[in-house]
């Protein structure tokens, strides 16, 4: 069983796919995976809500996997649908949750979501424990959702039912990732993020004109400017630097409570250099870090785009290994 941790075959891209940009863009645009999620609404203590998408097995005691998406993603993204399909086919129950304001419906409050907003992830886990009687839970996160997953796995009050987790393309150091995405070579990605975020900022400025303004939004060119103006003030941080410092999951690595696998591809165009050091801080013996030479950002595809991905197989092997151990 130790093969699940140490000797699982590393990702190998197909011919013509050994490029971080290709890996990041091709599956996002062309992969087509769909699963029959059932949607529900989780009301939160602060008056807001989350949209949850689930796949339930006929056996109520089957283990659960909780899927957390990336920045401006949702449960409908191909990487979420593909991971849900893989776990469900293997007998797991699936809960794919949407960050506040994601999933097709604007949330109620001026705030929305950020890389360290693990209170919402905790609320999702408590929903499974209290209302679904979950006996085993495995966390899986992508990009920003991976950062949240790692943070949650280091929490002192982590429920005993959580057996571990995996994060793919995890921005362990938010400041270095923001600097990377501010480079001219990453302009395409930055423009897409800002385009999507603008839609929400405009909607919030119309609903909460005294707290959110969309004036001169187009002057924003990078995450430092966006987080200085919006993420920081709306979520209780002084500015972008304060937000990045407090919410970077690299600080959680010494304190992991359960086995945690982090998979960051060396050619990921979103991640800064500080996201590849498995010895950040004092490394926990519960940390397992893999750095494939290719895979891009939440990529790990071969030419059969709609088939099960290496990342989906990797997550499932790790989850099943932990399930057997417990």
């Amino acid at each position: 069983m130790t093969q699940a941790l140490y000797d699982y075959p590393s990702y190998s891209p197909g011919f013509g796919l050994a490029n971080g940009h290709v890996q990041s863009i091709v599956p996002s645009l062309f992969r087509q995976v769909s699963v029959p999620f059932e949607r529900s609404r989780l009301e939160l203590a602060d008056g807001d809500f989350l949209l949850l998408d689930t796949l339930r097995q006929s056996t109520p005691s089957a283990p659960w996997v909780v899927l957390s998406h990336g920045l401006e993603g949702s449960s409908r993204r191909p990487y979420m649908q593909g991971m849900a399909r893989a776990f469900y086919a293997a007998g797991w129950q699936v809960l794919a949750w949407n960050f506040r304001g994601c999933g097709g419906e604007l949330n109620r409050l001026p705030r929305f979501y950020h890389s360290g907003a693990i209170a919402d992830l905790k609320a999702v886990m408590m929903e499974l424990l209290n209302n679904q009687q979950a006996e085993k839970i495995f966390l899986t996160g992508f990009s920003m959702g991976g950062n949240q997953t790692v943070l949650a796995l280091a929490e002192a009050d982590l429920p005993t039912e959580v057996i571990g987790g995996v994060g793919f393309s995890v921005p362990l150091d938010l400041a270095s990732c923001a600097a990377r995405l501010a480079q001219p070579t990453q302009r395409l990605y930055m423009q897409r993020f800002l385009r999507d975020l603008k839609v929400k900022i405009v909607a919030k400025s119309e609903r909460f004109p005294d707290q959110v303004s969309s004036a001169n939004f187009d002057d924003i060119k990078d995450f430092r400017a966006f987080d200085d103006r919006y993420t920081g003030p709306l979520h209780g941080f002084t500015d972008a630097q304060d937000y990045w410092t407090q919410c970077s999951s690299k600080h959680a690595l010494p304190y992991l409570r359960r086995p945690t696998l982090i998979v960051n591809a060396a050619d990921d165009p979103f991640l800064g250099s500080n996201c590849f050091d498995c010895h950040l801080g004092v490394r926990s013996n519960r940390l397992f870090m893999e750095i494939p030479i290719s895979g891009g950002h939440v990529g790990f595809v071969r030419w059969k785009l709609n088939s099960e991905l290496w990342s989906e197989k990797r997550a499932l092997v790790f989850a099943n290994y932990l399930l057997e151990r417990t």
Side-chain angles (χ1 to χ4, degrees), residues 8-14 17 22-33 77-87 142 168-169 263 295-318:
Y8 189 82
S10 184
Y11 170 70
S12 176
L17 289 174
V22 172
Q23 284 286 334
S24 304
I25 295 172
V26 166
S28 178
L29 294 180
F30 301 111
R31 194 177 189 217
Q32 297 180 350
V33 184
R77 297 291 292 167
Y79 58 82
M80 293 281 281
Q81 300 265 327
M83 191 66 75
R85 181 181 66 180
F87 269 86
F142 303 89
F168 292 98
S169 308
V263 182
H297 192 75
V298 195
F300 306 104
V301 298
R302 294 180 67 84
W303 281 114
K304 293 183 178 180
L305 294 178
N306 298 330
S307 299
E308 191 174 28
L309 301 186
W310 175 89
S311 52
E312 292 157 9
K313 297 175 182 178
R314 185 70 189 97
L316 191 55
V317 167
F318 188 65

Side-chain angles (χ1 to χ4, degrees), residues 246-269:
Q246 290 197 47
C247 296
S248 291
S249 57
K250 69 177 183 180
H251 302 304
L253 298 183
Y255 308 106
L256 295 170
R257 304 282 174 169
R258 304 287 188 278
T260 305
L261 173 64
I262 296 174
V263 182
N264 284 352
D267 64 354
D268 190 323

Side-chain angles (χ1 to χ4, degrees), residues 71-126:
L71 177 69
E72 281 306 282
S74 74
S75 61
R76 303 298 176 180
R77 297 291 292 167
Y79 58 82
M80 293 281 281
Q81 300 265 327
M83 191 66 75
R85 181 181 66 180
F87 269 86
Y88 185 69
W92 289 68
Q93 306 190 85
V94 181
L95 192 159
W97 68 289
N98 296 274
F99 299 165
R100 300 190 191 207
C102 299
E105 188 175 347
L106 192 67
N107 62 308
R108 299 186 187 117
L109 302 182
R111 61 155 294 184
F112 41 108
Y113 64 88
H114 62 81
S115 293
I118 61 172
D120 288 352
L121 178 52
K122 288 183 176 181
V124 169
M125 288 190 282
M126 294 311 297

Side-chain angles (χ1 to χ4, degrees), residues 3-251:
Q3 181 182 9
L5 295 179
Y6 301 107
D7 300 326
Y8 189 82
S10 184
Y11 170 70
S12 176
F15 178 78
L17 289 174
N19 178 282
H21 297 293
V22 172
Q23 284 286 334
S24 304
I25 295 172
V26 166
S28 178
L29 294 180
F30 301 111
R31 194 177 189 217
Q32 297 180 350
V33 184
S34 181
V35 295
F37 278 137
E38 294 181 9
R39 173 153 291 189
S40 62
R41 185 186 299 263
L42 175 61
E43 294 291 336
L44 300 173
D46 63 3
D48 218 333
F49 67 92
L50 300 174
L51 297 175
L52 311 182
D53 288 318
T54 56
L55 293 173
R56 291 182 174 83
Q57 299 286 349
S58 57
T59 304
S61 60
W64 284 87
V65 61
V66 174
L67 305 182
S68 304
H69 61 77
L71 177 69
E72 281 306 282
S74 74
S75 61
R76 303 298 176 180
R77 297 291 292 167
Y79 58 82
M80 293 281 281
Q81 300 265 327
M83 191 66 75
R85 181 181 66 180
F87 269 86
Y88 185 69
W92 289 68
Q93 306 190 85
V94 181
L95 192 159
W97 68 289
N98 296 274
F99 299 165
R100 300 190 191 207
C102 299
E105 188 175 347
L106 192 67
N107 62 308
R108 299 186 187 117
L109 302 182
R111 61 155 294 184
F112 41 108
Y113 64 88
H114 62 81
S115 293
I118 61 172
D120 288 352
L121 178 52
K122 288 183 176 181
V124 169
M125 288 190 282
M126 294 311 297
E127 164 68 13
L128 287 181
L129 294 173
N130 294 334
N131 297 322
Q132 304 299 329
Q133 288 73 53
E135 298 177 10
K136 303 293 180 185
I137 298 173
F138 181 80
L139 306 181
T140 298
F142 303 89
S143 193
M144 177 181 281
N147 192 79
Q148 292 185 357
T149 294
V150 174
L151 289 173
L153 287 166
E155 287 288 283
D157 60 351
L158 185 69
T160 57
E161 291 84 355
V162 177
I163 62 175
V166 59
F168 292 98
S169 308
V170 182
L172 295 169
D173 185 276
L174 296 173
S176 69
C177 294
R180 180 80 186 275
L181 284 165
Q183 296 176 357
T185 52
Q186 319 303 87
R187 184 177 178 84
L188 175 66
Y189 306 115
M190 196 68 248
Q191 287 179 330
R192 180 180 177 182
F193 281 133
L194 290 174
R195 180 196 66 202
D196 293 345
L197 288 165
K198 181 179 179 179
V199 174
K200 290 180 179 175
I201 293 300
V202 169
K204 285 185 177 292
S205 69
E206 294 173 350
R207 188 175 296 184
F208 308 103
D210 294 334
Q211 295 168 272
V212 182
S213 172
S214 61
N216 302 316
F217 184 94
D218 291 337
D219 292 342
I220 295 175
K221 304 300 181 185
D222 55 31
F223 277 128
R224 178 174 292 277
F226 181 86
D227 291 339
D228 271 340
R229 184 173 178 185
Y230 296 111
T231 311
L234 285 173
H235 300 98
F237 304 104
T238 304
D239 53 20
Q241 190 62 52
D242 181 42
Y243 159 51
W244 298 339
T245 299
Q246 290 197 47
C247 296
S248 291
S249 57
K250 69 177 183 180
H251 302 304

